[in-house]
Amino acid sequence: MEFPPKRRLHVIIVTLDDKKSLVDVGVGGASPLHPIEIKHDQPCKQGKETYRLIKDALYGWFLEE
């Protein structure tokens, strides 16, 4: 079994208009600057970066850059 990398991201989850979003708390290096709606495999373009959340059955949510 291949394990995911041990990289961690400190976030909070906010709910606005019945939509949940991931918000980075700003600790460390490069990270999303704006909230990312929590939806599986939906690209979220922010400047030159594109982020997406992927849900894994075993490990939960992953933020891909």
Side-chain angles (χ1 to χ4, degrees):
M1 173 186 291
E2 188 174 324
F3 294 101
K6 291 186 178 185
R7 197 170 153 196
R8 304 288 186 258
L9 182 68
H10 296 267
V11 300
I12 57 174
I13 303 300
V14 297
T15 303
L16 297 169
D17 299 326
D18 295 324
K19 294 180 182 178
K20 289 187 178 186
S21 296
L22 172 147
V23 180
D24 188 287
V25 299
V27 177
S31 60
L33 299 175
H34 306 285
I36 297 175
E37 188 175 351
I38 299 177
K39 284 189 173 181
H40 175 73
D41 201 25
Q42 177 177 305
C44 178
K45 183 123 175 97
Q46 296 189 12
K48 295 180 181 179
E49 300 294 334
T50 300
Y51 299 96
R52 82 179 76 239
L53 289 166
I54 302 296
K55 188 164 188 179
D56 179 84
L58 183 59
Y59 295 105
W61 290 97
F62 287 87
L63 177 65
E64 291 186 341
E65 189 176 334

